[in-house]
Coordinates of all heavy atoms in Angstrom, one line a residue:
M1051 N 98.5 112.3 -3.2 CA 99.2 111.1 -2.8 C 98.6 109.9 -3.6 O 97.3 109.7 -3.5 CB 99.1 110.9 -1.3 CG 100.2 110.0 -0.8 SD 100.1 110.0 1.1 CE 101.7 109.8 1.4
T1052 N 99.3 109.1 -4.2 CA 98.8 108.0 -5.0 C 98.4 106.9 -4.0 O 98.9 106.8 -2.9 CB 99.8 107.5 -6.0 OG1 100.9 106.9 -5.3 CG2 100.3 108.6 -6.9
P1053 N 97.4 106.1 -4.5 CA 97.0 105.0 -3.6 C 98.1 104.0 -3.2 O 98.2 103.4 -2.1 CB 95.9 104.3 -4.4 CG 95.4 105.3 -5.3 CD 96.6 106.2 -5.6
A1054 N 99.0 103.7 -4.2 CA 100.1 102.8 -3.9 C 101.0 103.4 -2.8 O 101.5 102.6 -1.9 CB 100.9 102.5 -5.2
L1055 N 101.4 104.6 -2.9 CA 102.2 105.3 -1.9 C 101.5 105.3 -0.6 O 102.2 105.1 0.5 CB 102.6 106.7 -2.4 CG 103.6 107.4 -1.6 CD1 104.9 106.6 -1.5 CD2 103.9 108.8 -2.1
L1056 N 100.2 105.6 -0.5 CA 99.5 105.6 0.7 C 99.5 104.2 1.3 O 99.7 104.0 2.5 CB 98.0 106.0 0.4 CG 97.1 106.1 1.7 CD1 97.7 107.2 2.6 CD2 95.7 106.4 1.2
A1057 N 99.3 103.1 0.5 CA 99.3 101.8 1.0 C 100.7 101.4 1.6 O 100.8 100.8 2.7 CB 98.9 100.8 -0.1
I1058 N 101.7 101.8 0.9 CA 103.1 101.5 1.4 C 103.4 102.2 2.7 O 103.9 101.6 3.7 CB 104.1 101.9 0.3 CG1 104.0 100.9 -0.9 CG2 105.5 101.9 0.9 CD1 104.8 101.4 -2.1
T1059 N 102.9 103.4 2.8 CA 103.1 104.2 4.0 C 102.3 103.6 5.2 O 102.9 103.5 6.3 CB 102.7 105.7 3.8 OG1 103.4 106.2 2.7 CG2 103.0 106.5 5.1
L1060 N 101.1 103.2 4.9 CA 100.3 102.6 6.0 C 100.9 101.2 6.4 O 101.0 101.0 7.6 CB 98.9 102.3 5.4 CG 97.9 101.8 6.4 CD1 97.6 102.8 7.5 CD2 96.6 101.5 5.7
L1061 N 101.3 100.4 5.5 CA 102.0 99.1 5.9 C 103.3 99.3 6.7 O 103.5 98.6 7.6 CB 102.2 98.3 4.6 CG 101.0 97.6 4.0 CD1 101.4 96.9 2.7 CD2 100.4 96.6 5.0
L1062 N 104.0 100.3 6.3 CA 105.3 100.6 7.0 C 105.0 101.1 8.4 O 105.6 100.7 9.4 CB 106.1 101.7 6.2 CG 107.5 101.9 6.7 CD1 108.3 100.7 6.6 CD2 108.1 103.1 5.9
G1063 N 103.9 101.9 8.6 CA 103.5 102.4 9.9 C 103.1 101.3 10.8 O 103.4 101.2 12.0
V1064 N 102.3 100.4 10.2 CA 101.8 99.2 11.0 C 102.9 98.3 11.4 O 103.0 97.8 12.6 CB 100.7 98.4 10.2 CG1 100.4 97.1 10.9 CG2 99.4 99.3 10.1
T1065 N 103.9 98.1 10.5 CA 105.0 97.3 10.8 C 105.9 97.9 11.9 O 106.3 97.2 12.8 CB 105.9 97.0 9.5 OG1 105.0 96.5 8.5 CG2 107.0 96.2 9.8
M1066 N 106.1 99.2 11.8 CA 106.9 99.8 12.9 C 106.2 99.8 14.2 O 106.9 99.6 15.3 CB 107.2 101.3 12.5 CG 108.1 101.4 11.3 SD 109.7 100.7 11.8 CE 110.5 100.5 10.2
C1067 N 104.9 99.9 14.2 CA 104.2 99.9 15.5 C 104.3 98.4 16.1 O 104.5 98.3 17.3 CB 102.7 100.2 15.3 SG 102.5 102.0 15.1
Y1068 N 104.2 97.4 15.3 CA 104.3 96.0 15.8 C 105.7 95.8 16.3 O 105.9 95.1 17.3 CB 104.0 95.0 14.7 CG 104.0 93.6 15.2 CD1 103.0 93.2 16.1 CD2 105.0 92.7 14.8 CE1 103.1 91.9 16.5 CE2 105.0 91.4 15.2 CZ 104.0 91.0 16.1 OH 104.1 89.7 16.6
I1069 N 106.7 96.3 15.6 CA 108.1 96.2 16.1 C 108.3 96.8 17.5 O 108.9 96.3 18.4 CB 109.1 96.8 15.1 CG1 109.2 95.9 13.8 CG2 110.5 97.0 15.7 CD1 109.9 96.4 12.7
A1070 N 107.7 98.0 17.6 CA 107.7 98.7 18.9 C 107.0 97.9 20.0 O 107.5 97.8 21.1 CB 107.1 100.1 18.8
V1071 N 105.9 97.3 19.7 CA 105.2 96.4 20.7 C 106.0 95.2 21.0 O 106.1 94.9 22.2 CB 103.8 96.0 20.1 CG1 103.2 94.9 21.0 CG2 102.9 97.2 20.1
C1072 N 106.6 94.6 20.1 CA 107.5 93.4 20.3 C 108.7 93.8 21.2 O 109.1 93.0 22.0 CB 107.9 92.8 19.0 SG 106.6 91.9 18.2
A1073 N 109.2 95.0 21.0 CA 110.4 95.4 21.8 C 110.0 95.8 23.2 O 110.7 95.4 24.2 CB 111.1 96.6 21.1
A1074 N 108.8 96.4 23.4 CA 108.4 96.9 24.7 C 107.8 95.7 25.5 O 108.0 95.6 26.7 CB 107.4 98.0 24.5
S1075 N 107.0 94.8 24.9 CA 106.4 93.8 25.6 C 106.5 92.5 24.7 O 105.6 92.2 23.9 CB 104.9 94.1 25.7 OG 104.2 93.0 26.3
P1076 N 107.6 91.7 24.9 CA 107.8 90.5 24.1 C 106.8 89.4 24.3 O 106.7 88.5 23.5 CB 109.2 90.1 24.4 CG 109.5 90.7 25.8 CD 108.7 91.9 25.9
F1077 N 106.1 89.4 25.4 CA 105.2 88.3 25.7 C 103.8 88.9 25.7 O 103.5 89.9 26.2 CB 105.5 87.7 27.1 CG 106.8 87.0 27.2 CD1 107.9 87.7 27.7 CD2 106.9 85.7 26.7 CE1 109.1 87.0 27.8 CE2 108.1 85.1 26.7 CZ 109.2 85.7 27.3
G1078 N 102.9 88.1 25.1 CA 101.5 88.5 25.1 C 100.7 87.4 25.8 O 101.2 86.3 26.2
N1079 N 99.4 87.6 25.9 CA 98.5 86.6 26.5 C 98.4 85.4 25.6 O 98.3 85.5 24.4 CB 97.1 87.2 26.8 CG 97.2 88.1 28.0 OD1 98.1 88.1 28.8 ND2 96.2 89.0 28.0
C1080 N 98.3 84.2 26.2 CA 98.0 83.0 25.5 C 96.7 83.1 24.8 O 95.7 83.5 25.5 CB 98.1 81.8 26.4 SG 97.8 80.2 25.7
R1081 N 96.6 82.7 23.6 CA 95.3 82.7 22.9 C 94.3 81.6 23.3 O 93.1 81.8 23.2 CB 95.5 82.7 21.4 CG 96.2 83.9 20.9 CD 96.3 83.9 19.4 NE 97.1 82.8 18.9 CZ 98.4 82.9 18.6 NH1 99.0 84.1 18.7 NH2 99.1 81.9 18.1
K1082 N 94.8 80.5 23.8 CA 94.0 79.4 24.1 C 93.3 79.6 25.5 O 92.1 79.5 25.6 CB 94.8 78.1 24.2 CG 94.0 76.9 24.4 CD 94.8 75.6 24.3 CE 93.9 74.4 24.5 NZ 94.7 73.2 24.5
C1083 N 94.1 80.1 26.5 CA 93.5 80.2 27.8 C 93.2 81.7 28.1 O 92.8 82.0 29.2 CB 94.4 79.6 28.9 SG 96.0 80.4 29.0
R1084 N 93.5 82.6 27.2 CA 93.3 84.1 27.3 C 94.0 84.7 28.5 O 93.6 85.6 29.2 CB 91.8 84.4 27.5 CG 91.0 84.0 26.2 CD 89.6 84.4 26.3 NE 88.8 84.0 25.2 CZ 87.7 83.4 25.2 NH1 87.2 83.0 26.4 NH2 87.1 83.0 24.1
G1085 N 95.2 84.1 28.8 CA 96.1 84.7 29.8 C 95.8 84.2 31.2 O 96.5 84.7 32.1
M1086 N 94.9 83.2 31.4 CA 94.6 82.8 32.7 C 95.5 81.6 33.1 O 95.7 81.4 34.3 CB 93.2 82.3 32.8 CG 92.2 83.5 32.6 SD 90.5 83.0 32.9 CE 90.5 82.6 34.6
G1087 N 96.0 80.8 32.2 CA 96.9 79.7 32.5 C 96.1 78.4 32.7 O 96.7 77.4 32.9
H1088 N 94.8 78.5 32.7 CA 94.0 77.3 32.8 C 92.6 77.5 32.2 O 92.3 78.6 31.9 CB 93.8 76.9 34.3 CG 93.2 78.1 35.1 ND1 91.9 78.3 35.2 CD2 93.8 79.0 35.9 CE1 91.7 79.4 36.0 NE2 92.8 79.8 36.4
A1089 N 91.9 76.4 32.0 CA 90.6 76.5 31.4 C 89.6 76.7 32.6 O 89.9 76.4 33.7 CB 90.3 75.2 30.7
L1090 N 88.4 77.1 32.2 CA 87.3 77.3 33.2 C 86.3 76.2 32.9 O 85.9 75.9 31.8 CB 86.7 78.6 33.1 CG 87.5 79.8 33.6 CD1 86.8 81.1 33.3 CD2 87.9 79.7 35.0
K1091 N 85.9 75.5 34.0 CA 84.8 74.5 33.9 C 83.6 75.0 34.8 O 83.8 75.8 35.6 CB 85.3 73.2 34.4 CG 86.3 72.6 33.5 CD 86.9 71.3 34.0 CE 86.0 70.4 34.8 NZ 86.5 69.1 35.2
T1092 N 82.5 74.4 34.5 CA 81.4 74.6 35.4 C 81.0 73.3 36.1 O 81.1 72.2 35.5 CB 80.2 75.1 34.6 OG1 79.9 74.2 33.6 CG2 80.4 76.5 34.0
D1093 N 80.6 73.4 37.3 CA 80.2 72.2 38.1 C 78.7 72.0 37.7 O 78.1 72.7 36.9 CB 80.5 72.3 39.5 CG 79.8 73.5 40.2 OD1 79.0 74.2 39.5 OD2 80.0 73.7 41.4
R1094 N 78.1 71.0 38.4 CA 76.7 70.7 38.2 C 75.8 71.8 38.5 O 74.7 71.8 37.9 CB 76.4 69.4 39.0 CG 77.1 68.2 38.5 CD 76.7 67.0 39.3 NE 77.4 65.8 38.9 CZ 77.3 64.6 39.3 NH1 76.3 64.4 40.3 NH2 78.0 63.6 38.9
R1095 N 76.1 72.7 39.4 CA 75.2 73.8 39.7 C 75.4 75.0 38.8 O 74.8 76.0 38.9 CB 75.5 74.2 41.1 CG 75.1 73.2 42.1 CD 75.2 73.7 43.5 NE 74.7 72.7 44.4 CZ 74.6 72.8 45.7 NH1 75.0 74.0 46.2 NH2 74.1 71.9 46.5
G1096 N 76.5 74.9 37.9 CA 76.7 76.0 37.0 C 77.7 77.0 37.5 O 77.9 78.1 36.8
R1097 N 78.3 76.8 38.6 CA 79.4 77.7 39.1 C 80.7 77.4 38.4 O 81.0 76.2 38.1 CB 79.6 77.5 40.6 CG 78.3 77.9 41.4 CD 78.6 77.7 42.9 NE 78.8 76.3 43.2 CZ 78.6 75.7 44.4 NH1 78.3 76.5 45.4 NH2 78.8 74.4 44.5
L1098 N 81.5 78.4 38.2 CA 82.8 78.3 37.6 C 83.8 77.6 38.5 O 83.9 77.9 39.7 CB 83.3 79.6 37.1 CG 82.5 80.2 35.9 CD1 83.1 81.6 35.6 CD2 82.6 79.3 34.7
K1099 N 84.6 76.7 37.9 CA 85.7 76.1 38.6 C 86.9 76.2 37.8 O 86.8 76.3 36.6 CB 85.4 74.6 38.9 CG 84.3 74.4 39.9 CD 84.0 72.9 40.0 CE 85.3 72.1 40.3 NZ 85.0 70.7 40.5
R1100 N 88.1 76.0 38.4 CA 89.3 76.0 37.7 C 89.4 74.6 37.0 O 89.2 73.6 37.5 CB 90.5 76.1 38.6 CG 91.8 76.1 37.9 CD 92.9 76.1 39.0 NE 94.2 75.8 38.3 CZ 95.1 76.6 38.0 NH1 95.0 77.9 38.4 NH2 96.2 76.3 37.4
G1101 N 89.8 74.7 35.7 CA 89.9 73.5 34.9 C 91.4 73.0 34.9 O 92.2 73.4 35.7
K1102 N 91.7 72.3 33.8 CA 93.1 71.8 33.6 C 94.0 72.9 33.2 O 93.6 73.9 32.6 CB 93.1 70.7 32.5 CG 92.4 69.5 32.9 CD 92.6 68.5 31.8 CE 91.9 67.2 32.1 NZ 92.0 66.2 31.1
D1103 N 95.3 72.8 33.5 CA 96.3 73.7 33.1 C 96.4 73.8 31.6 O 96.2 72.7 30.9 CB 97.7 73.4 33.7 CG 97.7 73.6 35.2 OD1 96.9 74.4 35.7 OD2 98.6 73.1 35.9
C1104 N 96.7 74.9 31.1 CA 96.9 75.1 29.6 C 98.2 74.4 29.2 O 99.2 74.7 29.7 CB 96.9 76.6 29.3 SG 97.1 76.9 27.5
R1105 N 98.1 73.6 28.1 CA 99.2 72.9 27.6 C 100.0 73.8 26.7 O 101.2 73.6 26.5 CB 98.9 71.6 26.9 CG 98.3 70.6 27.9 CD 98.1 69.3 27.2 NE 97.2 69.4 26.0 CZ 97.0 68.4 25.1 NH1 97.5 67.2 25.4 NH2 96.3 68.6 24.1
R1106 N 99.4 74.7 26.1 CA 100.1 75.6 25.1 C 101.1 76.5 25.8 O 102.2 76.7 25.3 CB 99.1 76.4 24.3 CG 99.8 77.3 23.3 CD 98.8 78.1 22.5 NE 98.1 77.3 21.6 CZ 97.1 77.7 20.8 NH1 96.7 79.0 20.9 NH2 96.5 76.9 20.0
C1107 N 100.7 77.1 26.9 CA 101.6 78.0 27.6 C 102.2 77.5 28.9 O 102.9 78.2 29.7 CB 100.9 79.3 27.9 SG 99.5 79.1 29.1
Q1108 N 102.0 76.2 29.2 CA 102.5 75.5 30.4 C 102.0 76.2 31.7 O 102.7 76.4 32.6 CB 104.0 75.4 30.4 CG 104.5 74.3 29.5 CD 104.6 74.8 28.1 OE1 104.9 75.9 27.8 NE2 104.4 73.9 27.1
A1109 N 100.7 76.7 31.7 CA 100.1 77.3 32.8 C 100.7 78.7 33.2 O 100.5 79.1 34.3 CB 100.0 76.4 34.0
T1110 N 101.4 79.3 32.3 CA 101.9 80.7 32.6 C 101.0 81.7 32.2 O 101.0 82.8 32.8 CB 103.3 80.9 32.0 OG1 103.1 80.8 30.5 CG2 104.3 79.9 32.4
G1111 N 100.2 81.5 31.2 CA 99.3 82.5 30.7 C 99.9 83.4 29.7 O 99.3 84.3 29.1
K1112 N 101.2 83.2 29.4 CA 101.9 84.1 28.5 C 102.5 83.3 27.3 O 102.8 82.1 27.4 CB 103.0 84.8 29.2 CG 102.6 85.7 30.3 CD 101.8 86.9 29.7 CE 101.3 87.8 30.7 NZ 100.5 88.9 30.2
R1113 N 102.7 83.9 26.2 CA 103.3 83.3 25.0 C 104.2 84.4 24.4 O 104.0 85.6 24.6 CB 102.3 82.9 24.0 CG 101.5 84.0 23.4 CD 100.7 83.7 22.2 NE 99.9 84.8 21.8 CZ 100.4 85.8 21.0 NH1 101.6 85.8 20.6 NH2 99.6 86.8 20.7
I1114 N 105.2 83.9 23.7 CA 106.1 84.9 23.0 C 105.5 85.3 21.7 O 104.9 84.5 21.0 CB 107.5 84.3 22.8 CG1 108.5 85.4 22.4 CG2 107.5 83.2 21.8 CD1 110.0 85.0 22.7
R1115 N 105.6 86.6 21.4 CA 105.0 87.1 20.2 C 105.8 86.6 19.0 O 107.0 86.4 19.1 CB 105.1 88.7 20.2 CG 104.2 89.3 21.3 CD 104.2 90.8 21.1 NE 103.6 91.4 22.3 CZ 102.3 91.6 22.5 NH1 101.4 91.2 21.6 NH2 101.9 92.1 23.6
I1116 N 105.2 86.5 17.8 CA 105.8 86.0 16.6 C 107.0 86.9 16.2 O 108.0 86.4 15.8 CB 104.8 85.9 15.5 CG1 103.7 84.9 15.9 CG2 105.4 85.5 14.2 CD1 102.5 84.8 15.0
G1117 N 106.8 88.2 16.3 CA 107.9 89.1 15.9 C 109.1 89.0 16.8 O 110.2 89.0 16.3
R1118 N 108.9 88.8 18.1 CA 110.0 88.6 19.0 C 110.6 87.3 18.8 O 111.9 87.2 18.9 CB 109.5 88.8 20.4 CG 110.6 88.7 21.5 CD 111.5 89.9 21.2 NE 112.6 89.8 22.2 CZ 113.2 90.9 22.6 NH1 112.9 92.1 22.3 NH2 114.2 90.8 23.5
W1119 N 109.9 86.2 18.5 CA 110.4 84.9 18.2 C 111.3 85.0 17.0 O 112.4 84.4 17.0 CB 109.3 83.9 18.0 CG 109.8 82.5 17.7 CD1 110.1 81.6 18.7 CD2 110.0 81.9 16.5 NE1 110.5 80.4 18.1 CE2 110.5 80.6 16.7 CE3 109.9 82.3 15.2 CZ2 110.8 79.7 15.7 CZ3 110.2 81.4 14.2 CH2 110.6 80.1 14.5
L1120 N 110.9 85.7 15.9 CA 111.7 85.8 14.7 C 113.0 86.6 15.0 O 114.1 86.3 14.5 CB 110.9 86.5 13.6 CG 109.8 85.7 13.0 CD1 109.0 86.6 12.1 CD2 110.4 84.5 12.2
Y1121 N 112.9 87.7 15.8 CA 114.1 88.5 16.2 C 115.1 87.6 17.0 O 116.3 87.6 16.7 CB 113.7 89.7 17.0 CG 114.9 90.4 17.5 CD1 115.6 91.2 16.7 CD2 115.2 90.3 18.9 CE1 116.8 91.9 17.2 CE2 116.4 90.9 19.4 CZ 117.1 91.7 18.5 OH 118.2 92.3 19.0
N1122 N 114.6 86.8 17.9 CA 115.4 86.0 18.7 C 116.1 85.0 17.9 O 117.3 84.7 18.0 CB 114.6 85.3 19.8 CG 114.2 86.2 20.9 OD1 114.7 87.3 21.0 ND2 113.3 85.7 21.7
R1123 N 115.4 84.4 16.9 CA 116.0 83.4 16.0 C 117.1 84.0 15.1 O 118.2 83.4 15.0 CB 114.9 82.8 15.2 CG 115.3 81.7 14.2 CD 115.9 80.5 14.9 NE 115.1 79.9 15.9 CZ 114.4 78.8 15.9 NH1 114.4 78.1 14.8 NH2 113.7 78.4 16.9
A1124 N 116.8 85.2 14.6 CA 117.8 85.9 13.7 C 119.0 86.2 14.5 O 120.2 86.1 14.1 CB 117.2 87.1 13.1
A1125 N 118.8 86.7 15.8 CA 120.0 87.1 16.6 C 120.8 85.9 17.0 O 122.0 86.0 17.0 CB 119.5 87.8 17.9
R1126 N 120.2 84.8 17.2 CA 120.9 83.5 17.6 C 121.7 83.0 16.4 O 122.9 82.6 16.5 CB 119.9 82.5 18.0 CG 120.5 81.2 18.6 CD 119.5 80.2 19.1 NE 118.6 80.9 20.1 CZ 117.2 80.8 20.0 NH1 116.7 80.3 18.9 NH2 116.5 81.4 20.9
I1127 N 121.1 83.1 15.2 CA 121.9 82.7 14.0 C 123.0 83.6 13.7 O 124.1 83.2 13.4 CB 120.9 82.6 12.8 CG1 119.9 81.5 12.9 CG2 121.7 82.5 11.5 CD1 118.8 81.4 11.9
H1128 N 122.8 84.9 13.9 CA 123.9 85.9 13.7 C 125.0 85.7 14.7 O 126.2 85.7 14.3 CB 123.4 87.3 13.8 CG 124.4 88.3 13.7 ND1 125.0 88.6 12.5 CD2 125.0 89.1 14.6 CE1 125.9 89.6 12.7 NE2 125.9 89.9 13.9
R1129 N 124.7 85.4 16.0 CA 125.7 85.2 17.0 C 126.5 83.9 16.7 O 127.7 83.9 16.9 CB 125.0 85.1 18.4 CG 125.4 86.1 19.3 CD 124.8 86.0 20.7 NE 123.4 86.4 20.7 CZ 122.3 85.7 20.9 NH1 122.5 84.4 21.3 NH2 121.1 86.2 20.9
A1130 N 125.8 82.9 16.3 CA 126.5 81.6 16.0 C 127.4 81.7 14.8 O 128.4 81.1 14.7 CB 125.5 80.5 15.7
G1131 N 127.1 82.6 13.8 CA 127.9 82.7 12.6 C 129.0 83.7 12.7 O 129.9 83.7 11.9
T1132 N 129.0 84.5 13.8 CA 130.1 85.5 13.9 C 131.0 85.3 15.1 O 131.8 86.2 15.5 CB 129.5 86.9 14.1 OG1 128.6 86.9 15.2 CG2 128.7 87.3 12.8
T1133 N 131.0 84.1 15.6 CA 132.0 83.8 16.7 C 133.4 83.6 16.2 O 133.6 83.2 15.0 CB 131.5 82.5 17.4 OG1 131.5 81.4 16.5 CG2 130.2 82.7 18.1
N1134 N 134.4 83.9 17.0 CA 135.8 83.8 16.6 C 136.3 82.4 16.8 O 136.2 81.7 17.6 CB 136.6 84.8 17.4 CG 136.3 86.2 16.9 OD1 135.9 86.4 15.8 ND2 136.4 87.2 17.8

């Protein structure tokens, strides 16, 4: 197997796995708050406290995956272009 064919096969496999992940679980954890929905602060004694709500995910702790966002956008454009 040539290196180019191996690289193409590997990239195709990774892409198909990412498509399967986007279809099975369209939402992933927010990268800023790590899925908690808020930041963690420490008080003066060093104990953890709940901080402010995450602005990126609006305190849900979830975000839409990039692949799913692209699919939704393409489906919306297709639906808008094929109406009767």
Side-chain angles (χ1 to χ4, degrees):
M1051 201 173 212
T1052 64
L1055 188 59
L1056 182 64
I1058 291 169
T1059 306
L1060 185 64
L1061 284 174
L1062 189 62
V1064 169
T1065 303
M1066 290 299 165
C1067 287
Y1068 184 69
I1069 289 171
V1071 167
C1072 287
S1075 176
F1077 295 97
N1079 287 336
C1080 176
R1081 291 185 296 264
K1082 186 174 181 183
C1083 64
R1084 297 186 181 127
M1086 293 184 66
H1088 56 82
L1090 290 176
K1091 290 175 38 176
T1092 55
D1093 61 3
R1094 291 181 182 183
R1095 292 186 176 184
R1097 293 181 296 200
L1098 289 175
K1099 289 177 53 177
R1100 180 186 167 106
K1102 292 182 179 179
D1103 288 343
C1104 179
R1105 294 188 304 173
R1106 181 180 288 175
C1107 65
Q1108 286 81 33
T1110 62
K1112 296 293 179 185
R1113 63 167 178 84
I1114 193 159
R1115 295 184 194 276
I1116 295 170
R1118 185 60 182 212
W1119 183 85
L1120 289 171
Y1121 172 77
N1122 289 347
R1123 181 63 50 107
R1126 190 177 304 126
I1127 291 171
H1128 177 72
R1129 242 181 284 122
T1132 58
T1133 58
N1134 290 331

